Amino acid sequence: MRPAVLVTPLAKTIPVVENAIYVGVDAGVLTLLEQEFPVEFAVGDFDSMSQETYEKIESLVKIEKHPIMKDESDAQLALRLVKERGCSPIYLCGALSKRIDHTIANLRLLMYHYPDLILWDEKQNVSLFQRGKHVLKNTYKNVSFFAVGKATITLEGFLYPLEHREIDVSDIYTLSNSIVDQEGVVIVEDGAILCVMSDE
C-alpha cells in the first residue's frame, strides 16, 4: 500500500514521505504547487480562492470539486478518496492548527474512523495506538498518551515508566512524558490510546 499525504490550507511544511501520493485539500493544493510536490489530485469546494486562481489550478491538476453545502469536511472527502485507492498510512498536514472545532473533528476522524491516520504538523503529530507493541524514536521533546475508552499500557524507556497500568478517558497524568533512551516502547495490552508527540 502507498502512503498518502493530504495537505490542508493551514499546512506550512510538507513531509517528504517515500512513495507517497500527495493530495491538495482545497487551497492546500496551492502549497503543494508552490513547494513543487507532485499532485495526484485536489479535492474540496474551493470557496476560499478566486475564480481566476481556481481556473489556473484546474489547468494544472486533476480536481474533485464538491458543493459548499455538504455533510463532509474537505478533509473527510480527501480521506475517503485515498482510502478508496488503498492508501495507508495517511498523513493529514495542517490538521492541528487554528480552529479548535476542526482540530476536534480531525481527532475524531483518527479515533473513530481512520486508525492509520497521522495528524501531522511541523512540530507535533498525533497517532492512534491499538493493541500491540509500538516503538518510538527519541525525536520529540514531549510524548503524551490519552486513552480512547479504557486501556491498559506499559511504557519502557520513558522518564515516567508504567507497567500494566489501566487508564481511561478521564486520566490526564499521562501528559508530558519524554523518552530517555534511544527508543521508547509502548505496549498497548488492551484498548487504544492517542499518542501525541510534540516539540512545542
Side-chain angles (χ1 to χ4, degrees):
M1 290 185 285
R2 293 184 68 183
V5 179
L6 313 183
V7 179
T8 73
L10 294 175
K12 295 178 181 177
T13 303
I14 301 171
V16 176
V17 179
E18 186 177 357
N19 199 37
I21 67 168
Y22 287 82
V23 175
V25 180
D26 202 78
V29 67
L30 295 171
T31 307
L32 280 169
L33 293 171
E34 287 167 3
Q35 297 187 26
E36 299 183 341
F37 280 86
V39 182
E40 188 81 5
F41 63 91
V43 59
D45 51 39
F46 302 97
D47 64 337
S48 60
M49 64 179 67
S50 68
Q51 184 63 26
E52 181 183 358
T53 301
Y54 174 77
E55 289 173 359
K56 182 179 179 181
I57 291 170
E58 194 176 27
S59 70
L60 298 171
V61 173
K62 180 183 176 184
I63 298 285
E64 291 260 2
K65 189 172 184 181
H66 292 259
I68 295 171
M69 297 183 68
K70 56 189 184 299
D71 292 330
E72 294 174 287
S73 69
D74 291 334
Q76 277 181 287
L77 292 169
L79 282 163
R80 177 165 55 80
L81 290 169
V82 296
K83 286 305 287 185
E84 288 172 359
R85 287 163 169 76
C87 294
S88 182
I90 304 167
Y91 297 79
L92 184 59
C93 304
L96 303 168
S97 305
K98 299 262 182 164
R99 285 181 55 176
I100 188 66
D101 54 342
H102 279 257
T103 299
I104 292 170
N106 292 332
L107 286 166
R108 286 176 177 261
L109 286 171
L110 168 62
M111 293 163 62
Y112 303 117
H113 300 282
Y114 297 99
D116 59 344
L117 178 62
I118 299 165
L119 305 180
W120 191 94
D121 275 333
E122 186 177 6
K123 293 187 176 182
Q124 58 189 349
N125 68 65
V126 185
S127 302
L128 183 72
F129 288 174
Q130 297 178 309
R131 186 179 297 182
K133 180 179 178 180
H134 307 268
V135 179
L136 302 176
K137 293 181 180 179
N138 190 353
T139 53
Y140 286 87
K141 293 178 186 176
N142 305 302
V143 187
S144 300
F145 303 98
F146 301 97
V148 180
K150 286 189 176 180
T152 304
I153 63 172
T154 292
L155 303 179
E156 299 171 354
F158 285 83
L159 180 61
Y160 304 109
L162 293 175
E163 188 172 354
H164 313 300
R165 180 68 60 86
E166 185 175 290
I167 59 175
D168 65 26
V169 293
S170 65
D171 289 322
I172 57 172
Y173 66 86
T174 46
L175 178 74
S176 294
N177 209 332
S178 58
I179 299 170
V180 292
D181 293 337
Q182 287 189 334
E183 296 178 329
V185 176
V186 182
I187 302 170
V188 181
E189 299 162 39
D190 194 30
I193 59 172
L194 288 177
C195 173
V196 182
M197 304 184 73
S198 174
D199 272 337
E200 294 287 359

